[in-house]
Amino acid sequence: MKEIKVYSLEETQELGNKLGSIINSNFIITLTGDLGAGKTTFTKAIGKSLGIKKTINSPTFTILKSYYGKLPLHHIDAYRLEGITQDLGFEEIFDDEAVTIVEWPVFIEDLLPKDRLEIEIKRISDNERLFILRGVGKKYEEIERML
């Protein structure tokens, strides 16, 4: 586990850019944090570093949005999936050669791959955030150490 404290929106974006520049295909990131913690802001920074030009916004109502740059990026917001038992086809998304970011992973925990980079974002103040990173699996542990 690694903790990184950021003190501004720009530092949050820098951390997202850094992560986006060192990840590769078939990469799963889960983002946990309260509303307004910065999950989508962080995702936007990762997408920018992946060369995505299209505006990235929260897929709260569509559940999944896909973007294309150097690598595809799948952005899932599972908030509205609490209690859903039907097959949503996420296994295919997780097996894709893309980067997949899941906000509110607790609602689809049973569907998520075991190996992943788990990131919790804690809001300390208007500008300060604490990022708690936990790599699960060898490649994710290595990325955690690199940040």
Side-chain angles (χ1 to χ4, degrees):
M1 184 178 77
K2 183 175 196 172
E3 294 185 356
I4 301 171
K5 198 173 200 181
V6 299
Y7 299 92
S8 67
L9 175 65
E10 292 78 23
E11 287 184 13
T12 295
Q13 293 167 334
E14 288 173 16
L15 181 59
N17 287 332
K18 183 174 182 181
L19 176 58
S21 70
I22 60 176
I23 59 179
N24 49 29
S25 63
N26 200 303
F27 201 89
I28 310 294
I29 301 168
T30 62
L31 294 178
T32 304
D34 292 334
L35 290 172
K39 298 180 296 292
T40 301
T41 297
F42 189 64
T43 299
K44 288 178 182 183
I46 293 170
K48 184 177 180 182
S49 70
L50 294 175
I52 294 167
K53 305 289 186 212
K54 191 174 176 184
T55 300
I56 295 173
N57 50 36
S58 181
T60 302
F61 296 104
T62 57
I63 311 298
L64 168 69
K65 289 186 178 180
S66 296
Y67 305 92
Y68 299 92
K70 292 180 258 183
L71 289 172
L73 171 68
H74 301 305
H75 185 195
I76 298 171
D77 185 329
Y79 186 77
R80 297 177 61 232
L81 298 178
E82 182 176 19
I84 300 278
T85 57
Q86 67 196 46
D87 180 7
L88 300 170
F90 287 147
E91 292 83 1
E92 293 173 13
I93 296 292
F94 298 138
D95 288 338
D96 194 4
E97 291 300 309
V99 173
T100 302
I101 298 176
V102 180
E103 295 185 28
W104 302 99
V106 66
F107 296 122
I108 59 168
E109 185 67 39
D110 293 346
L111 303 174
L112 290 169
K114 180 182 150 252
D115 290 359
R116 59 191 184 228
L117 180 62
E118 299 175 342
I119 301 175
E120 180 180 1
I121 306 172
K122 291 188 176 185
R123 185 175 188 269
I124 298 168
S125 70
D126 285 348
N127 295 317
E128 291 179 70
R129 303 291 188 268
L130 177 64
F131 284 77
I132 303 168
L133 296 86
R134 183 172 164 259
V136 180
K138 186 176 179 179
K139 90 174 181 181
Y140 298 98
E141 290 168 358
E142 187 165 321
I143 295 294
E144 176 191 321
R145 282 191 292 274
M146 294 170 71
L147 289 171

